[in-house]
Amino acid sequence: MSKKKPQRPDLSYLNLGSAIDVNYQLSPMELIDDALLNNEGCLASSGALAIDTGEFTGRSPKDRFIVCDNITQDEVWWGDVNIKITPENFEGLFKKITTYLNDKKFYVRDAFACADPDYSISIRVITETAYQNLFVNNLFIRPDQDTLGGEPEWTIIAAPGFLADPLQDGTRQENFSVINFTKKMILIGGTGYTGEIKKGIFSVLNFILPIYKNTLSMHCAANVGKAGDTAIFFGLSGTGKTTLSADPERGLIGDDEHGWGKDSIFNFEGGCYAKCVDLTIEKEPQIFKAIKFGSLLENINFYPNTKEVDYSNIDKTENTRVAYPIDYIDNAILPSVASAPKNIFFLTADAFGVLPPISKLSVEQAMFHFMSGYTAKVAGTEAGITEPQLTFSACFGKAFLPLHPSRYAKLLGEKITSQQVTVWLVNTGWSGGVYGVGKRIKLGYTRALIAAALNGELNKVEYKMHPIFKLMMPTSCVNIPAEILDPSKTWENREEYNTKATELEKAFRLNFEQFKEADATKREQEELNLR
């Protein structure tokens, strides 16, 4: 017996009640058929739908706005990450984008975010294209049919073909992403890049969960062992977050966005949005096997005269992506909820070659390194970079933080303390010298060190303190050469090592000054308000 088709919901609250061509809750097969009929893309040899997102192949951070009103005025960390826009400008854009869609065919999908029902929010996404709706199906949590149709908590409208007028609408360019916490709505226009939808909801959760649920929102991967021990992996691009969290011996909770509630870790999403550059079945077997019918490939290139993807070809962008439901991964945990973590790993690719391959952090050090979010870019990763370049991204996700980083760090510290979590700093970068002189730490060594931390072996060994960073370094580990555990011993010249280590330690302190200054400014403002 076939399932009854979901009834079209009332869209009058969006000024779309009279729209004629509304396609609600289509199946992945129906969306793929529509995408092909609409000439939005083609099928790759794997069966995945391959599309191009147009002019934008990544997010546009300078075109992301938050409506400044009574809810956000005193809460949001305003600046280069969170840019203000007026309620009036939002209303103007809302009327224009809904008028634009009223005469067009569009797609509507109801979904959820947050796998733990105690924190779940309902979402409705209206998209101009079928491929965007397939992305929403893959990335968010798919609801039961009997929960469909009611008015959602949050609504996203994404119309790549609608362009703003910067002079009238208060935007920087024709493309935009605007979050309104009072209206509980996100408007996205002028860009077909699906990551704007994903990160729009992530930004929303980064605001509402800490403030209203006392829950830490995190840009991290998470997995769980057979004994029920949860581990969290933080890390910026290139540090090995996806690789190291994808462990065949452990179940995957999620690869990117999670919440840490009262007694649970839960995935915000129902899918994965993985990078594809240089993807091979040998390096990333789980991701490679997940690229099949129902998956969405973005901005890839094919080998000439074939539909076989050339993952090494980055002519369009280095940010080639694939979106697929999490159950396309063999060892995925469903529902994606587990107990509070036993271990947290901060991953950093230190191109200066001075950080230990693993070290244990105190609560205060954990908060410091969390707010720092350090890694280093190396030559060749971006145009103009000829030597290692320091990169700090607060909480390992500065671009998505509506609140001041100290708010998240305070929550982290409280949870580490109350739940007795062990925090590790792991250098997946270089040893024996800076990038170009030293060598990258072997992946096998890093895996062995993380395994030793997870199984408790590193709780049984002796530690010594690093003289410059004050980190606690293990002096031994099974199957690991003892000399690499102390990075100073891997350098030929100890004096050169101390100079580089001191340079990095100073950079950490200088970066941290911005947070102290912001806190001081806030205190001064609060004092003025009390007078």
Side-chain angles (χ1 to χ4, degrees):
M1 185 176 177
S2 61
K3 289 183 179 180
K4 186 179 178 182
K5 200 76 174 170
Q7 188 173 356
R8 168 181 164 170
D10 181 5
L11 300 178
S12 57
Y13 75 104
L14 298 173
N15 299 334
L16 295 171
S18 60
I20 297 171
D21 202 348
V22 179
N23 297 268
Y24 179 57
Q25 217 70 12
L26 298 190
S27 69
M29 182 173 286
E30 290 172 315
L31 289 169
I32 291 165
D33 284 345
D34 263 27
L36 296 175
L37 287 170
N38 299 341
N39 293 316
E40 295 174 13
C42 63
L43 291 182
S45 59
S46 63
L49 177 65
I51 60 93
D52 289 348
T53 60
E55 178 185 356
F56 294 94
T57 57
R59 292 182 310 102
S60 185
K62 292 182 180 179
D63 298 299
R64 171 190 172 275
F65 303 89
I66 295 177
V67 175
C68 182
D69 58 19
N70 291 337
I71 289 179
T72 59
Q73 175 66 60
D74 298 325
E75 292 284 2
V76 168
W77 181 36
W78 300 111
D80 60 340
V81 170
N82 301 303
I83 306 165
K84 295 180 181 180
I85 196 168
T86 67
E88 292 75 20
N89 283 141
F90 177 87
E91 288 301 325
L93 280 169
F94 173 68
K95 288 176 182 175
K96 287 182 179 181
I97 200 169
T98 51
T99 300
Y100 168 85
L101 285 173
N102 239 315
D103 298 328
K104 296 186 180 299
K105 177 179 184 177
F106 60 85
Y107 301 84
V108 182
R109 176 152 239 97
D110 286 343
F112 287 90
C114 301
D116 188 327
D118 289 342
Y119 306 92
S120 178
I121 65 168
S122 56
I123 304 165
R124 175 166 294 153
V125 189
I126 288 89
T127 65
E128 185 178 1
T129 64
Y131 82 80
Q132 289 173 297
N133 219 260
L134 179 65
F135 175 86
V136 173
N137 173 78
N138 291 356
L139 260 290
F140 293 130
I141 296 169
R142 293 158 288 282
D144 296 329
Q145 189 160 317
D146 58 5
T147 65
L148 298 174
E151 189 167 323
E153 293 173 69
W154 276 81
T155 301
I156 304 173
I157 301 175
F162 173 77
L163 305 178
D165 180 340
L167 291 177
Q168 285 186 1
D169 300 322
T171 58
R172 186 180 72 102
Q173 300 185 133
E174 292 178 323
N175 63 295
F176 59 89
S177 175
V178 183
I179 303 173
N180 189 324
F181 284 98
T182 298
K183 297 278 189 180
K184 295 187 175 181
M185 201 174 291
I186 303 173
L187 305 180
I188 300 168
T191 172
Y193 181 64
T194 55
E196 296 284 10
I197 299 172
K198 167 186 162 72
K199 291 307 183 186
I201 284 295
F202 186 42
S203 297
V204 165
L205 293 169
N206 281 333
F207 184 86
I208 63 177
L209 288 180
I211 290 177
Y212 302 116
K213 296 279 191 176
N214 197 39
T215 293
L216 178 61
S217 51
M218 304 176 293
H219 190 209
C220 67
N223 65 25
V224 62
K226 292 171 184 175
D229 58 305
T230 302
I232 296 174
F233 298 80
F234 289 92
L236 301 176
S237 180
T239 60
K241 180 179 68 170
T242 300
T243 300
L244 292 169
S245 64
D247 185 336
E249 299 300 313
R250 298 173 66 82
L252 181 70
I253 305 167
D255 75 333
D256 198 42
E257 301 173 6
H258 295 83
W260 185 349
K262 185 179 178 182
D263 52 15
S264 69
I265 293 292
F266 56 92
N267 195 345
F268 288 167
E269 302 178 304
C272 301
Y273 192 41
K275 290 185 177 181
C276 291
V277 60
D278 292 328
L279 182 67
T280 65
I281 193 167
E282 292 78 20
K283 287 197 294 186
E284 301 283 0
Q286 292 178 316
I287 295 173
F288 194 92
K289 291 174 185 176
I291 302 176
K292 56 188 179 181
F293 186 81
S295 299
L296 178 70
L297 284 163
E298 293 184 351
N299 303 311
I300 52 83
N301 290 279
F302 296 115
Y303 286 106
N305 304 314
T306 76
K307 292 300 180 185
E308 185 180 349
V309 180
D310 179 0
Y311 292 110
S312 66
N313 188 323
I314 54 171
D315 287 349
K316 294 173 188 172
T317 176
E318 287 190 23
N319 190 35
T320 52
R321 294 272 184 170
V322 61
Y324 49 84
I326 194 167
D327 56 17
Y328 278 25
I329 298 291
D330 290 337
N331 63 336
I333 300 296
L334 294 170
S336 303
V337 184
S339 59
K342 298 289 186 186
N343 292 278
I344 295 174
F345 298 94
F346 295 155
L347 308 175
T348 177
D350 175 31
F352 294 90
V354 294
L355 288 177
I358 195 166
S359 50
K360 187 184 288 188
L361 306 182
S362 67
V363 175
E364 292 75 18
Q365 287 175 326
M367 294 169 69
F368 175 84
H369 283 277
F370 184 61
M371 288 182 70
S372 299
Y374 163 70
T375 194
K377 294 176 182 177
V378 298
T381 56
E382 289 183 13
I385 296 179
T386 56
E387 59 183 37
Q389 187 177 91
L390 293 161
T391 301
F392 294 102
S393 181
C395 308
F396 298 94
K398 179 181 177 181
F400 319 116
L401 304 182
L403 307 177
H404 189 276
S406 62
R407 301 277 289 271
Y408 307 97
K410 183 172 181 287
L411 263 175
L412 178 75
E414 290 171 354
K415 290 181 178 295
I416 289 171
T417 302
S418 65
Q419 300 184 24
Q420 299 181 314
V421 184
T422 306
V423 185
W424 309 88
L425 181 66
V426 177
N427 176 17
T428 63
W430 280 257
S431 184
V434 299
Y435 171 79
V437 177
K439 293 182 179 179
R440 188 140 196 189
I441 297 168
K442 292 180 180 178
L443 178 60
Y445 288 165
T446 302
R447 287 192 191 279
L449 288 166
I450 288 175
L454 290 170
N455 64 29
E457 287 178 19
L458 289 186
N459 293 331
K460 304 171 186 175
V461 302
E462 292 184 1
Y463 285 77
K464 67 178 182 180
M465 182 181 287
H466 192 285
I468 296 171
F469 297 108
K470 311 304 180 187
L471 301 167
M472 297 304 295
M473 307 179 294
T475 57
S476 63
C477 181
V478 177
N479 299 322
I480 300 294
E483 61 269 17
I484 78 159
L485 295 173
D486 180 347
S488 67
K489 292 182 178 178
T490 65
W491 285 54
E492 290 185 8
N493 187 313
R494 180 70 68 92
E495 190 174 324
E496 285 182 9
Y497 171 84
N498 288 336
T499 299
K500 270 296 173 193
T502 301
E503 181 184 322
L504 179 59
E505 194 274 336
K506 182 180 178 181
F508 269 108
R509 285 188 285 108
L510 286 173
N511 175 70
F512 206 76
E513 288 299 317
Q514 63 177 307
F515 305 127
K516 292 180 180 178
E517 290 170 8
D519 282 343
T521 303
K522 188 175 181 180
R523 285 195 301 273
E524 289 168 7
Q525 186 61 50
E526 287 172 350
E527 288 172 7
L528 285 172
N529 292 340
L530 291 172
R531 289 174 190 168

